[in-house]
Amino acid sequence: MNTTQLINRAADRLDLPDELTAADSKLVYLFVAVSDGATVDDLQVALDIKKISLFPVLDTLSERGLIERIDDEYVTATAS
């Protein structure tokens, strides 16, 4: 099973926000949601995405009110 199929299966099981269309945004949001919070280092290692690519995704998700930063962790906005 490839990454896209895994994302789609997870999205089917979770209430994924409709405004998430980019694969990176979906992947980061899903990882944060299922892990009950993650640091940038956690995301980088687990998802194999460079930090320089993660920060814009995290900023966008934060601006949309989908995730928030608490100390050094990102959590879903509904989890806090």
Side-chain angles (χ1 to χ4, degrees):
M1 183 174 301
N2 67 34
T3 304
T4 302
Q5 290 170 324
L6 287 172
I7 292 169
N8 289 335
R9 283 185 68 189
D12 289 343
R13 294 179 184 183
L14 293 173
D15 189 19
L16 190 65
D18 292 334
E19 63 261 32
L20 294 180
T21 56
D24 284 350
S25 294
K26 289 179 182 180
L27 187 60
V28 170
Y29 180 85
L30 287 171
F31 186 84
V32 169
V34 299
S35 64
D36 293 323
T39 65
V40 172
D41 289 334
D42 295 336
L43 290 162
Q44 179 187 16
V45 170
L47 305 178
D48 194 28
I49 299 175
K50 293 182 181 184
K51 285 184 183 181
I52 196 164
S53 299
L54 275 173
F55 286 114
V57 173
L58 292 167
D59 287 343
T60 299
L61 292 172
S62 294
E63 289 169 4
R64 292 182 180 177
L66 299 173
I67 64 170
E68 56 189 345
R69 186 174 177 180
I70 299 176
D71 298 323
D72 65 341
E73 274 196 340
Y74 287 90
V75 296
T76 55
T78 57
S80 61

